[in-house]
Amino acid sequence: MRKTIVSLGERGIIEYAWSIFSKHPKELMGHNDDVVALRINNNKFLVLHTDVLVESYDVLPGMTPYQIGRKSIVMNISDLAAKSVKPEGILISLGLPKTYKKRDLAMLFKGIEEASRKYNTYILGGDTSESSELFIAVFVYGITDFEPPKRSNAKPGDIVAVTGLFGLTSIAYKILLEKNVKITKRMMSKALQSVYYPNAKLTEGLALKGLVSASMDVSDGLAFSLHTIAETSNVGIKITNIPLHPLVKKFAKANKLDPIDLAFYNGGEEYELLVTIPPNKWNDAVANIKNIGGNLIEIGKITHEKKVIAEIGKKCYKIEKKGWSHFKAWNYV
């Protein structure tokens, strides 16, 4: 096992790559972030991101070609949204098996097109290749007049906030991957909607421009994302408000599950934004989000003590570093 990449995991592979690759001397974000940024003149920054969707690992049971194409765009736009950057254009590299049906390709392209237009950007071109299964590699870029916030810039005293509630995707995974669950039709509809039709919080990200100290999107699970901010910023986080979707409490009770586990550990791909905001900018951030009809939910504070904990009422407990990692799957620690 030690001779394979499984022992490294996704993040170990990234670290290994950067032990070999030369770092661009003018790149601003560092290799621990999900975007790269270059200053292109005195007041403009070029921000770049890429993500790949692979059929056997990223496509949930029951997803249509339209939904797959749509998701491939949303998952990339989301990382620019976390940096308050409007996407300017997209390139796509597409791998297709010979047996892929033309009607499915049409729906795949329709999903890609409609998602791109939803976020006011365009497909500029790309490449196609034959492959053993469907894969979609998306490259997106944007230009901004404000240096993007890093994951690693959270400071003690900053307010920790998210743009939505958590746990619905956990329910969806239970439905689709475990199946034997007790659930109402309304719960099922809401949960499946969350994974089949995810949305990038671009409007919210743009509204927070210049107000955020550290940020990332929550695609690998809330607990893992909190740990990422804490570790890269060399700080701790104390959670005092768990952003739990109300349906999750009902589902957890019916299935004898812990709703907190569903919110922190069993989900992912919510594509909500996780941000830290200095106290003196909090009121402006709340006002800006309210003006665009979004949500900004305070869930805790950045601390000097380098650990991630939750303190709810009289109960205090450690938040484990669990989430999604390619090659190691869910609940990787």
Side-chain angles (χ1 to χ4, degrees):
M1 184 69 75
R2 290 184 179 181
K3 293 182 179 180
T4 71
I5 60 172
V6 173
S7 62
L8 292 174
E10 179 183 1
R11 286 152 187 89
I13 291 170
I14 293 169
E15 293 296 329
Y16 185 50
W18 285 109
S19 72
I20 296 172
F21 297 158
S22 299
K23 186 180 185 302
H24 193 297
K26 295 183 179 179
E27 202 283 312
L28 299 170
M29 306 301 287
H31 66 265
N32 286 320
D33 220 296
D34 259 348
V35 305
V36 297
L38 296 167
R39 188 187 294 271
I40 52 178
N41 60 35
N42 287 337
N43 59 359
K44 296 288 184 182
F45 300 86
L46 175 64
V47 182
L48 314 168
H49 174 75
T50 185
D51 253 332
V52 63
L53 184 151
V54 180
E55 183 174 22
S56 58
Y57 292 95
D58 298 310
V59 175
L60 289 165
M63 285 191 81
T64 66
Y66 171 87
Q67 292 165 347
I68 295 167
R70 185 183 179 283
K71 178 183 175 180
S72 73
I73 300 302
V74 168
M75 61 195 281
N76 279 272
I77 298 294
S78 182
D79 284 293
L80 257 62
K83 305 304 177 183
S84 303
V85 177
K86 180 186 178 300
E88 296 289 341
I90 295 171
L91 295 174
I92 294 179
S93 292
L94 185 64
L96 294 164
K98 288 181 179 179
T99 55
Y100 204 74
K101 293 179 174 59
K102 187 176 179 181
R103 66 174 179 269
D104 289 340
L105 184 62
M107 293 308 296
L108 184 81
F109 285 160
K110 187 175 180 180
I112 290 171
E113 167 66 8
E114 290 190 7
S116 301
R117 297 305 303 126
K118 176 177 180 176
Y119 298 107
N120 296 312
T121 189
Y122 294 89
I123 305 301
L124 301 177
D127 189 27
T128 57
S129 177
E130 183 181 339
S131 63
S132 59
E133 65 176 321
L134 172 69
F135 77 81
I136 311 172
V138 176
F139 166 84
V140 61
Y141 78 94
I143 297 171
T144 180
D145 58 1
F146 201 93
E147 185 169 341
K150 300 177 182 179
R151 291 175 170 183
S152 58
N153 200 40
K155 300 291 191 296
D158 285 354
I159 296 168
V160 181
V162 292
T163 54
L165 301 173
F166 289 78
L168 281 180
T169 61
S170 296
I171 297 176
Y173 297 145
K174 295 285 184 186
I175 296 167
L176 296 171
L177 304 178
E178 298 181 19
K179 300 185 185 298
N180 188 25
V181 297
K182 296 177 182 179
I183 190 165
T184 66
K185 288 184 179 180
R186 180 169 179 264
M187 282 183 194
M188 180 177 290
S189 175
K190 285 280 190 181
L192 293 181
Q193 180 85 4
S194 73
V195 293
Y196 286 159
Y197 293 95
N199 291 294
K201 295 301 180 78
L202 180 60
T203 305
E204 287 85 345
L206 296 176
L208 292 172
K209 183 177 178 180
L211 301 172
V212 170
S213 55
S215 66
M216 62 184 293
D217 81 333
V218 183
S219 54
D220 295 332
L222 180 56
F224 197 94
S225 300
L226 289 168
H227 275 275
T228 298
I229 293 284
E231 290 176 8
T232 56
S233 298
N234 199 31
V235 295
I237 296 176
K238 182 168 76 172
I239 299 299
T240 52
N241 172 39
I242 298 175
L244 193 66
H245 194 284
L247 288 179
V248 176
K249 296 178 182 178
K250 296 180 181 178
F251 176 82
K253 184 177 181 180
N255 291 275
K256 297 180 180 179
L257 298 169
D258 185 343
I260 294 174
D261 283 352
L262 293 174
F264 279 120
Y265 305 124
N266 301 141
E269 296 193 343
E270 281 96 349
Y271 299 110
E272 299 293 347
L273 305 184
L274 171 63
V275 298
T276 66
I277 299 174
N280 65 334
K281 295 183 178 181
W282 176 250
N283 288 340
D284 288 340
V286 170
N288 286 4
I289 293 295
K290 184 178 180 180
N291 286 341
I292 55 99
N295 294 308
L296 190 63
I297 304 164
E298 180 177 351
I299 64 170
K301 292 282 198 316
I302 298 295
T303 65
H304 287 282
E305 197 171 4
K306 296 171 187 176
K307 57 185 180 180
V308 181
I309 62 170
E311 191 174 283
I312 308 298
K314 296 181 179 180
K315 186 178 180 181
C316 184
Y317 53 91
K318 179 181 178 182
I319 297 174
E320 302 290 340
K321 185 182 178 182
K322 296 179 181 178
W324 172 257
S325 175
H326 285 290
F327 311 104
K328 293 193 175 186
W330 284 105
N331 286 339
Y332 160 74
V333 179

